[in-house]
């Protein structure tokens, strides 16, 4: 058994073997894209052969591992094994069209095998996984602030309901909509509800139309539809953009960079040993 295990180890750690698997992964990913254009039996046959190669690779890695525990503790092995097993689920097993579509979508995730094609990409994935706990708390902090600003935004900027207006107010409102339409024009009142306000704040975070929202609110104040003054409007939008775009996002970036440094140091120590 040791001879077989050592042989499998020498194969799986061989650079030519890894290069060959990388080429197969690239070919598989390319053919997955081609399959979105055509339903060619030749391509399906090639994909079946590739699935067989991936199966052999998994078996070689399993035999080469020191123990069952060592094999299954490696997240990449679980990832590869899951994708291979999904490939063996026959579409004919499901009469439901929705289930068949779900299986096809899952098979597309074979493209993600490219993530292990290079050592540098694996390091980045490891960093992102290690950063999840820090990012989780950053998301909570972000959620608290976006919820707070959304409540304030609804209180300050919610436009009156046109259905409850008289003819004079409605004519004035229609004139306001022409002068300061929502961006995009088919969107609802940006701060009409708490949920819409939170989405609007997320839009501002991306830098999309946040200055248009500010100008529209000033116009709404001039028409008498909101009571917030231009000064309050400016403070609200600028403070949110600065807080979200420069402070909260930088916390996430800082967490990722810190973990990247830790992972690189750990890998250097591992290589030194």
């Amino acid at each position: 058994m040791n001879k077989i295990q050592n042989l499998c180890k020498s194969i799986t750690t061989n650079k030519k073997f890894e290069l060959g698997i990388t080429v197969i992964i690239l070919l598989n990913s390319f053919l997955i894209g081609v399959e979105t254009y055509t339903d060619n039996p030749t391509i399906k046959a090639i994909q079946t052969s590739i699935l067989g190669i991936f199966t052999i690779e998994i078996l070689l890695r399993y035999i080469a591992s020191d123990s069952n525990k060592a094999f299954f503790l490696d997240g990449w092995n679980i990832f590869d094994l899951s994708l291979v097993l999904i490939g063996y689920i026959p579409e004919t097993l499901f009469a439901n069209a929705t289930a068949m579509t779900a299986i096809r979508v899952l098979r597309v995730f074979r493209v993600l095998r490219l993530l292990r094609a290079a050592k540098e990409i694996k390091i980045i994935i490891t960093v992102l996984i290690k950063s999840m706990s820090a990012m989780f708390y950053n998301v909570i902090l972000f959620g608290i602030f976006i919820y707070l600003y959304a409540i304030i935004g609804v209180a300050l900027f919610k436009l009156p309901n046109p259905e409850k207006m008289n003819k004079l107010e409605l004519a004035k409102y229609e004139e306001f909509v022409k002068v300061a339409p929502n961006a995009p024009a088919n969107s609802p009142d940006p701060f009409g509800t708490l949920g819409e306000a939170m989405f609007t704040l997320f839009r501002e975070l991306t830098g999309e139309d946040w200055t248009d929202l500010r100008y529209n609110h000033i116009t709404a104040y001039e028409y008498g539809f909101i009571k917030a003054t231009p000064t309050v409007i400016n403070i609200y939008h600028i403070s949110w953009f600065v807080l979200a775009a420069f402070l909260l996002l930088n916390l996430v970036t800082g967490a990722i960079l810190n973990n990247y440094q830790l992972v690189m140091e750990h890998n250097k120590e591992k290589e030194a040993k």
Side-chain angles (χ1 to χ4, degrees):
M1 183 64 185
N2 286 334
K3 287 183 179 179
I4 297 174
Q5 186 181 38
N6 290 334
L7 177 63
C8 291
K9 274 187 178 179
S10 64
I11 293 172
T12 55
T13 55
N14 187 285
K15 289 186 177 180
K16 290 182 179 179
F17 175 81
E18 291 182 353
L19 179 62
I21 292 297
T22 301
V23 171
I24 296 296
I25 291 171
L26 289 169
L27 176 62
N28 177 234
S29 302
F30 172 74
L31 291 179
I32 288 172
V34 172
E35 284 180 316
T36 62
Y37 291 94
T38 180
D39 190 16
N40 191 300
T42 304
I43 293 176
K44 284 189 175 182
I46 295 172
Q47 290 287 54
T48 302
S49 301
I50 289 173
L51 181 60
I53 294 171
F54 287 157
T55 304
I56 294 170
E57 180 208 1
I58 285 291
L59 287 173
L60 289 173
R61 292 188 188 280
Y62 175 74
I63 297 169
S65 61
D66 296 328
S67 64
N68 290 339
K69 185 178 180 181
F71 178 82
F72 288 105
L73 281 177
D74 188 332
W76 287 107
N77 289 335
I78 300 296
F79 176 72
D80 289 343
L81 181 60
S82 300
L83 292 177
V84 168
L85 290 176
I86 288 169
Y88 282 104
I89 300 175
E91 293 180 3
T92 53
L93 190 66
F94 301 95
N96 191 319
T98 304
M100 287 178 62
T101 302
I103 293 298
R104 287 173 182 169
V105 169
L106 287 173
R107 287 178 179 174
V108 170
F109 280 92
R110 283 180 290 178
V111 174
L112 293 177
R113 289 213 62 189
L114 286 169
L115 295 178
R116 68 171 299 162
K119 182 180 177 182
E120 289 75 11
I121 295 177
K122 291 173 72 174
I123 290 174
I124 293 171
I125 297 299
T126 303
V127 169
L128 289 175
I129 292 171
K130 286 185 176 292
S131 302
M132 285 299 176
S133 60
M135 287 198 291
F136 173 74
Y137 292 108
N138 286 335
V139 168
I140 291 176
L141 181 64
F142 177 78
I144 291 171
F145 276 102
I146 199 171
Y147 182 70
L148 174 64
Y149 266 79
I151 292 173
I152 295 171
V154 171
L156 292 176
F157 308 130
K158 183 176 182 178
L159 296 172
N161 188 349
E163 295 178 0
K164 297 181 180 179
M165 295 179 180
N166 57 42
K167 289 184 178 180
L168 186 63
E169 291 172 334
L170 187 59
K172 189 177 181 182
Y173 181 80
E174 289 174 352
E175 184 183 344
F176 162 71
V177 171
K178 289 180 181 179
V179 174
N182 291 334
N186 65 337
S187 64
D189 178 7
F191 290 90
T193 63
L194 185 61
E196 192 63 33
M198 292 177 74
F199 180 74
T200 298
L201 290 171
F202 183 79
R203 279 175 54 200
E204 289 197 29
L205 167 63
T206 65
E208 181 188 356
D209 299 325
W210 77 279
T211 52
D212 290 343
L213 287 165
R214 180 255 184 192
Y215 291 126
N216 285 359
H217 286 153
I218 290 176
T219 305
Y221 168 76
E222 293 171 350
Y223 275 78
F225 291 123
I226 62 174
K227 296 181 179 179
T229 63
T231 302
V232 172
I233 293 168
N234 288 336
I235 291 172
Y236 178 88
H237 287 290
I238 293 172
S239 65
W240 168 250
F241 192 77
V242 171
L243 177 68
F246 295 102
L247 298 181
L248 295 177
L249 285 183
N250 280 338
L251 285 175
V252 175
T253 305
I256 293 173
L257 290 175
N258 182 56
N259 280 293
Y260 184 82
Q261 186 175 357
L262 291 174
V263 168
M264 292 299 292
E265 289 175 357
H266 175 73
N267 286 344
K268 286 181 180 178
E269 290 175 3
K270 194 175 179 180
E271 289 175 1
K273 290 180 180 180

